[in-house]
Structures are given as structure tokens and as C-alpha cells.
């Protein structure tokens, strides 16, 4: 959704009907040929892949494609965590029988889209009924493949950083809460910063020609 503030903050705003990587790249290539872009970035989770893909295709500065793919594909990420203290039991499958066996083994699990974002298609399963409901609700995923993970109980925090070229500036931490009555679809909100950080120096800004989503 485009707001007045977008038009105020940006020199130009281009509307795209189908927000997919190839279409974004085609339009951005035309923009880049007329007014070379220094950097490409996305402020929304759904725009991260198109932004990373675009930076790779146009060979301009932006988010690293391989790093983003690692973050987007949760199965690959789980594989990277294997044999570390962050490792958990997981299963990628489109077999309901395999999934139910995994559920019975761990008693409480999460069923999710392996490449989803924004906590869409994420379900916590505590009972057989919740498992059946989650399996049915995720039937429209690509190839009907789900990622199942053992549920880790505890408080969830999100740590926000501004990172560039291996340098990380801690901005703050937010606490995540599930909306009451939404345990089965993981609708959540984040509190305000509970531990705000300060960037070093005066934070002088440099204006560059930047393409954002």
C-alpha cells in the first residue's frame, strides 16, 4: 500500500502489479539504465527476496543473495544449525503419516511454510485436532510441503541490528506476544523497544540513489 509519506520521501514511486523477482528486475533495469542505482534495499520482509535477486542480477550493492536464500529457506537454515546448540528436531514432508508420527514423537510441534514470512501459515499443534486443522490449512503450500519443528517453550525476543560489511550496530530488542485466542495461527505483535541501543557518533546521513521496496 502506497501512502503519501512514500511520495514525500522518494523521488519517484513505481507501482508493480505482480511483485515477483523477475518482474521487479525488468522494471528496475529500465530505471537503472536511466538513473543508475547505487543500492537496493527492502523495508518489508516480503520484499527481501526481490531486492536480493535484483542486486545480484544488476550487480549493484544490496543484500547478499546467498545469505538471504539461507534466511528465507528455513530447511536450509535448520541444516546449517545441525550439530550446534541451536539445533532442533525438524522434518520437511508432504506425507501426513510421516508428519503425524513426528507430532506423536514430540507431542508439541510447529507446522509452517518452509519459505514463508510474516508468520503466515504457522501453526502450533498440541492436540490431534490441532494437528489435523493445521495440516488442512497448509494444504495450499507449494507441492503441499510443510516444515515441522519441535516446539520450544519460552519467551521470544527479536534483536534488531543495523549491519553492513560485518559491522553490527545494536538498535534494540523487542518482545514478541501471541494475540489472545490466536495460538493456532501464531498471530503476534511486538512490544516497543525494551532495550534501545544508540548508534555511535552523531549518525550523519549520506544521501545516495537508493531503490527500495
Amino acid at each position: 500500500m502506497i501512502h503519501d509519506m512514500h511520495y514525500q520521501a522518494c523521488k519517484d514511486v513505481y507501482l508493480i502489479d505482480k511483485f515477483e523477482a523477475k518482474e521487479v528486475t525488468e522494471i528496475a533495469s529500465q530505471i537503472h539504465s536511466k538513473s543508475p542505482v547505487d543500492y537496493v534495499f527492502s523495508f518489508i520482509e516480503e520484499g527481501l527476496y526481490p531486492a536480493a535477486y535484483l542486486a545480484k542480477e544488476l550487480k549493484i550493492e544490496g543484500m547478499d543473495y546467498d545469505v538471504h536464500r539461507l534466511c528465507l529457506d528455513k530447511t536450509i537454515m535448520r541444516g546449517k544449525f545441525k550439530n550446534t546448540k541451536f539445533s532442533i528436531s525438524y522434518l520437511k514432508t508432504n506425507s501426513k503419516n510421516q508428519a503425524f508420527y513426528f507430532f506423536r514423537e514430540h507431542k508439541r510441534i510447529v507446522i509452517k511454510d518452509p519459505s514463508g514470512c510474516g508468520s503466515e501459515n504457522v501453526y502450533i499443534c498440541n492436540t490431534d485436532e490441532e494437528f489435523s486443522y493445521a495440516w488442512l490449512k497448509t494444504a495450499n503450500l507449494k507441492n503441499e510441503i510443510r516444515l515441522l519443528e519441535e516446539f520450544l517453550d519460552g519467551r521470544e525476543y527479536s534483536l534488531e541490528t543495523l549491519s553492513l560489511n560485518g559491522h553490527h550496530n545494536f538498535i534494540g530488542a523487542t518482545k514478541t506476544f501471541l494475540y489472545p485466542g490466536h495460538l493456532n495461527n501464531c498471530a503476534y505483535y511486538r512490544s516497543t523497544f525494551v532495550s534501545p541501543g544508540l548508534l555511535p557518533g552523531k549518525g550523519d546521513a549520506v544521501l545516495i540513489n537508493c531503490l527500495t521496496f
Side-chain angles (χ1 to χ4, degrees):
M1 182 178 294
I2 302 297
H3 299 280
D4 290 341
M5 63 180 181
H6 294 121
Y7 290 101
Q8 295 170 5
C10 302
K11 180 181 178 181
D12 296 297
V13 175
Y14 299 85
L15 302 181
I16 301 175
D17 292 331
K18 196 174 182 181
F19 195 68
E20 294 184 355
K22 291 185 178 180
E23 183 180 5
V24 169
T25 302
E26 181 179 344
I27 295 175
S29 297
Q30 299 173 13
I31 299 172
H32 186 52
S33 64
K34 297 177 182 178
S35 178
V37 175
D38 299 308
Y39 195 87
V40 58
F41 186 77
S42 174
F43 290 103
I44 59 172
E45 194 171 0
E46 291 81 357
L48 293 177
Y49 177 74
Y53 181 88
L54 175 59
K56 174 175 174 286
E57 290 297 306
L58 298 186
K59 296 180 174 57
I60 57 180
E61 293 294 327
M63 291 172 287
D64 186 272
Y65 179 81
D66 293 329
V67 171
H68 174 69
R69 181 171 174 268
L70 182 65
C71 295
L72 181 65
D73 192 319
K74 298 173 179 60
T75 308
I76 298 178
M77 178 66 78
R78 287 294 166 217
K80 284 287 185 179
F81 283 153
K82 190 175 181 180
N83 299 323
T84 72
K85 62 182 180 180
F86 301 107
S87 178
I88 64 171
S89 296
Y90 69 95
L91 173 69
K92 184 178 180 180
T93 184
N94 62 357
S95 167
K96 186 175 181 179
N97 289 335
Q98 284 185 343
F100 189 70
Y101 181 82
F102 182 88
F103 167 61
R104 280 297 179 87
E105 180 183 6
H106 295 283
K107 298 181 175 59
R108 193 179 190 193
I109 66 169
V110 176
I111 296 180
K112 62 175 64 173
D113 182 351
S115 59
C117 59
S119 290
E120 294 183 1
N121 293 313
V122 179
Y123 298 86
I124 300 172
C125 303
N126 300 284
T127 66
D128 291 2
E129 291 75 16
E130 290 176 351
F131 171 85
S132 297
Y133 176 80
W135 192 262
L136 180 63
K137 295 295 287 185
T138 52
N140 62 339
L141 299 181
K142 185 177 181 180
N143 299 322
E144 298 186 2
I145 293 178
R146 291 87 159 172
L147 177 63
L148 284 68
E149 300 172 340
E150 63 172 309
F151 181 84
L152 299 181
D153 200 5
R155 171 56 59 200
E156 178 184 349
Y157 291 92
S158 175
L159 303 181
E160 317 294 341
T161 67
L162 180 62
S163 302
L164 181 64
N165 298 329
H167 299 285
H168 309 286
N169 291 305
F170 176 68
I171 297 175
T174 55
K175 185 183 294 186
T176 303
F177 299 89
L178 290 173
Y179 280 119
H182 286 75
L183 288 177
N184 281 334
N185 62 11
C186 282
Y188 69 92
Y189 67 94
R190 288 196 170 100
S191 67
T192 55
F193 289 122
V194 295
S195 179
L198 297 176
L199 293 177
K202 296 182 179 180
D204 295 333
V206 178
L207 183 62
I208 61 175
N209 192 10
C210 180
L211 187 63
T212 66
F213 300 106

